[in-house]
Amino acid sequence: MAPLDGTMGPLLIGVIICAVFYGVSLSQMYYYYTRYPRDPMYLKVLVAAVWCTDTVHQAMISHSVYWYLVSEYGNPEAVGLLSPTIIPEVFFQAFTGLFVQSFFAARVWRLSGRRPYIVIPVIALILAEFSVAMAYAIQALSFSTFLDLSKIKALSISINAFAAAGDVVIAIVLCTILQTSKTGFEKSNLLVNRLIIFSVNTGLLTSICACMSLITILALPNTFVYICFFFLIGRLYSNSLMATLNARKALRDKSTIHDTSLSLRDMPASAVSANLSPFSPKLTRDHAQSGIAIRIDTTQDTQHDDQDSQSAKYGSSDKHGAEAV
């Protein structure tokens, strides 16, 4: 039997960290509903659904720790048993991942100009992760000890592998789309670079956490260290969703720099249309599929000699740009 430091220790630490991130997600949800009251109803429903699955998951893992450390206190054999809620929590974490990753897949679909060959691999990874998680949880419900879980260890490994792969692919696709949307204007390119960094960061933590869970289940199979990282994946998904939704106002505020205005009206769901400008030869309609709206205002001052005109004309304005809907 593994010592408590390698079993109940990681389990307790994982639940505490999850509780902290749960509190962060609650504050982000409050901020979202108060700052974005005009968001589409489907986004509000999505946030509410993620909150529900997140809340149930947090309650279940908290009950698991209580069961091991309080209800079964003094019973050393309980360490090797599966608590009543430690397997059902997998269902709710799977739905959290499905909701959040589907949101990012929809963003890829819109920003890519609705190209099926780009979004289909992303959807395939999301469905694979969800399906494997469901299969793992359904089979594990019939088990009573952690030793029994070794029979479906391959499914546990696959869950983490698909989770990491899905997040990495989403980040790569979004970064590629944003990179190809650059117009050649220095200030707008600077903001696009910020968006690329933001896209990477939203999927970075979940990918690292899934990889750590995968590594520890292989390197430390007789401990609960992998469970600690597995618990955190769902909480990181909910926080990445809320961070993406709540960052829109800040990104819009930073988008207006002197004469350059870049609009991110709805990062998750942008319908793109472009009016191409002769002053931007590098901009093509393929680049306009990025969901980024750029407007460049230039002013040309001219003065005519009094012999040609009785008055001077100033402030002839030429406005051009590519604007997304």
Side-chain angles (χ1 to χ4, degrees):
M1 182 181 299
L4 293 179
D5 286 342
T7 54
M8 292 300 105
L11 194 69
L12 178 61
I13 292 173
V15 171
I16 292 174
I17 298 176
C18 283
V20 173
F21 278 102
Y22 178 72
V24 174
S25 67
L26 285 181
S27 64
Q28 289 203 76
M29 289 178 189
Y30 175 79
Y31 179 89
Y32 169 76
Y33 281 115
T34 55
R35 293 295 298 273
Y36 297 91
R38 297 183 180 179
D39 260 9
M41 181 56 64
Y42 74 89
L43 281 180
K44 296 179 180 179
V45 172
L46 173 64
V47 171
V50 170
W51 173 80
C52 289
T53 56
D54 229 22
T55 300
V56 175
H57 181 264
Q58 182 63 40
M60 285 188 167
I61 62 176
S62 299
H63 173 269
S64 294
V65 169
Y66 184 90
W67 187 85
Y68 286 116
L69 301 182
V70 179
S71 299
E72 296 297 326
Y73 177 78
N75 179 13
E77 295 181 358
V79 177
L81 300 177
L82 296 173
S83 72
T85 53
I86 200 166
I87 295 301
E89 60 86 15
V90 177
F91 288 105
F92 293 93
Q93 176 154 302
F95 276 105
T96 299
L98 177 66
F99 294 152
V100 176
Q101 287 190 315
S102 296
F103 164 81
F104 287 115
R107 187 168 69 166
V108 170
W109 168 254
R110 290 176 174 85
L111 295 181
S112 65
R114 293 173 169 80
R115 296 185 176 95
Y117 63 88
I118 293 180
V119 76
I120 285 177
V122 175
I123 295 176
L125 288 172
I126 294 172
L127 293 179
E129 178 190 352
F130 180 75
S131 301
V132 172
M134 289 291 104
Y136 175 87
I138 291 172
Q139 293 187 44
L141 285 175
S142 61
F143 298 152
S144 59
T145 67
F146 281 100
L147 186 60
D148 294 332
L149 292 180
S150 60
K151 300 174 183 177
I152 54 174
K153 185 177 180 179
L155 290 177
S156 180
I157 294 174
S158 299
I159 293 173
N160 294 294
F162 282 126
D167 294 332
V168 170
V169 169
I170 289 173
I172 290 175
V173 171
L174 288 175
C175 291
T176 302
I177 293 172
L178 290 169
Q179 181 67 27
T180 57
S181 72
K182 291 185 177 181
T183 64
F185 295 104
E186 180 180 358
K187 293 174 182 177
S188 63
N189 287 348
L190 179 62
L191 187 54
V192 170
N193 289 335
R194 289 196 188 112
L195 295 176
I196 292 174
I197 295 173
F198 182 80
S199 297
V200 170
N201 289 339
T202 54
L204 182 63
L205 287 178
T206 51
S207 299
I208 292 176
C209 204
C211 289
M212 289 303 299
S213 181
L214 179 61
I215 292 171
T216 52
I217 196 175
L218 295 174
L220 304 170
N222 297 323
T223 68
F224 290 173
V225 176
Y226 74 95
I227 298 179
C228 174
F229 290 108
F230 182 76
F231 282 172
L232 284 172
I233 294 175
R235 214 64 75 248
L236 293 176
Y237 272 137
S238 59
N239 276 278
S240 65
L241 170 67
M242 299 313 305
T244 300
L245 293 175
N246 290 334
R248 289 173 294 168
K249 282 187 181 295
L251 290 173
R252 272 200 293 264
D253 292 341
K254 291 180 181 180
S255 66
T256 304
I257 308 174
H258 302 294
D259 292 333
T260 304
S261 173
L262 190 151
S263 173
L264 296 173
R265 296 182 184 175
D266 190 356
M267 288 178 56
S270 305
V272 181
S273 63
N275 295 320
L276 299 182
S277 169
F279 295 93
S280 302
K282 294 184 180 180
L283 184 63
T284 67
R285 292 192 180 276
D286 289 336
H287 292 110
Q289 300 291 340
S290 63
I292 299 176
I294 301 175
R295 175 174 175 162
I296 307 297
D297 295 344
T298 60
T299 302
Q300 180 181 4
D301 294 339
T302 60
Q303 183 174 358
H304 297 274
D305 195 344
D306 290 338
Q307 294 178 356
D308 297 332
S309 174
Q310 293 182 353
S311 60
K313 297 181 180 180
Y314 298 91
S316 172
S317 178
D318 177 23
K319 297 181 180 180
H320 55 88
E323 186 165 348
V325 177

